[in-house]
């Protein structure tokens, strides 16, 4: 189902012990994002606790090969900043996650999202721009299977805190649902060209919205 691909690109891989992952698999996904048509979106990698949804607890995290040893950190949302480096690929580097004692099982998420921090106000033109980049990239990654996949129908606006519905026109309100830390914006032909969404806080990022993703 494409809604899974949109938010994680892979099903989370649960692990209950130290985790070793081949850097090449990350490199090949990052390579897609180097094309200019994807300049405003990125593929983020996160290590998340299977039960809590919080960043994994670890005592060692880094990339290792016979020529490299690079320490990494986890951000507040669980994301790790992996370098895009052909030398790491050529040396068959390994992403090593050494979990803390009694830590819960950890899962790896691949998040397709906007690259830069956004302003509190979003316009229809901005949302359409991101939707288009998400849609093209997902088709690119799907290859010949794209003919069976639904289009990206809008965007999910992600916040750090619980969000209230934004100030917006009546037409935009009919296409927008907010719950907890997310607002789901469905793009349709009824939206006026001057539609805007004024939020009470800055969004963290945008995610692609596939029909079944707004659950």
């Amino acid at each position: 189902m494409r809604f899974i691909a949109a938010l994680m690109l892979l099903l989370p891989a649960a692990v209950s012990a130290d985790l070793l992952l081949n850097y090449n698999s990350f490199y090949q996904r990052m390579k897609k994002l180097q094309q200019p048509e994807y300049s405003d979106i990125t593929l983020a990698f996160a290590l998340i606790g299977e039960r809590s949804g919080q960043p994994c607890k670890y005592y060692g995290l880094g990339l290792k090969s016979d020529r490299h040893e690079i320490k990494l950190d986890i951000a507040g949302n669980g994301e790790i900043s992996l370098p895009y480096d052909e030398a790491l690929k050529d040396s068959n580097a390994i992403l090593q996650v050494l979990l803390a004692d009694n830590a819960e099982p950890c899962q790896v998420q691949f998040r397709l999202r906007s690259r830069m921090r956004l302003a509190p106000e979003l316009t229809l033109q901005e949302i359409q721009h991101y939707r288009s980049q998400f849609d093209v990239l997902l088709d690119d990654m799907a290859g010949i299977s794209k003919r069976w996949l639904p289009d990206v129908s809008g965007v999910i606006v992600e916040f750090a805190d619980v969000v209230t519905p934004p100030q917006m026109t009546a037409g935009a309100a009919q296409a927008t649902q907010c719950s907890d830390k997310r607002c789901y914006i469905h793009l349709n032909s009824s939206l006026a060209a001057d539609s805007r969404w004024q939020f009470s806080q800055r969004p963290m990022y945008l995610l692609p919205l596939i029909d079944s993703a707004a659950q």
Side-chain angles (χ1 to χ4, degrees):
M1 298 295 291
R2 186 167 177 176
F3 76 93
I4 296 177
L7 296 182
M8 296 185 182
L9 300 189
L10 289 177
L11 286 173
V15 295
S16 57
D18 295 341
L19 180 63
L20 300 176
L21 295 172
N22 194 316
Y23 171 78
N24 287 7
S25 62
F26 295 96
Y27 178 89
Q28 294 303 325
R29 289 174 175 84
M30 288 188 285
K31 188 174 182 179
K32 293 279 188 183
L33 274 298
Q34 305 308 306
Q35 302 177 48
E37 58 265 39
Y38 307 134
S39 59
D40 294 320
I41 60 177
T42 190
L43 185 58
F45 308 103
L47 298 172
I48 301 296
E50 186 181 44
R51 295 185 297 272
S52 68
Q54 298 300 310
C56 293
K57 295 181 179 180
Y58 65 95
Y59 67 88
L61 173 63
L63 289 165
K64 291 189 176 183
S65 73
D66 57 355
R67 291 179 287 169
H68 304 88
E69 186 166 346
I70 303 173
K71 291 185 177 181
L72 302 174
D73 292 314
I74 292 182
N77 62 357
E79 292 184 2
I80 57 176
S81 296
L82 284 178
Y84 177 70
D85 191 330
E86 189 171 1
L88 286 168
K89 175 185 72 71
D90 292 341
S91 63
N92 295 313
I94 296 295
L95 174 64
Q96 183 182 65
V97 185
L98 305 178
L99 296 180
D101 292 341
N102 301 317
E104 67 176 311
C106 191
Q107 61 185 7
V108 181
Q109 292 183 354
F110 296 75
R111 300 171 178 167
L112 181 59
R113 62 167 176 78
S114 56
R115 186 182 299 271
M116 305 300 292
R117 190 75 183 273
L118 302 164
E121 182 179 81
L122 295 176
T123 66
L124 178 60
Q125 290 72 27
E126 289 174 311
I127 291 174
Q128 289 173 329
H129 170 73
Y130 281 103
R131 188 214 65 84
S132 177
Q133 289 204 3
F134 288 142
D135 197 48
V136 173
L137 178 61
L138 287 171
D139 282 348
D140 191 4
M141 289 183 166
I144 61 174
S145 300
K146 66 182 181 182
R147 71 182 69 179
W148 295 289
L149 300 178
D151 293 333
V152 177
S153 60
V155 299
I156 301 171
V157 191
E158 183 92 1
F159 299 89
D161 301 305
V162 175
V163 65
T164 57
Q167 297 180 19
M168 51 191 165
T169 61
Q174 293 179 355
T176 305
Q177 297 95 36
C178 294
S179 176
D180 196 19
K181 298 180 181 180
R182 287 182 166 183
C183 285
Y184 303 85
I185 301 177
H186 300 263
L187 295 178
N188 54 61
S189 57
S190 65
L191 287 170
D194 61 351
S195 296
R196 294 175 180 270
W197 291 259
Q198 179 67 51
F199 297 99
S200 58
Q201 56 180 296
R202 291 182 65 180
M204 292 177 61
Y205 40 70
L206 302 182
L207 301 165
L209 173 62
I210 312 301
D211 294 333
S212 300
Q215 300 293 332

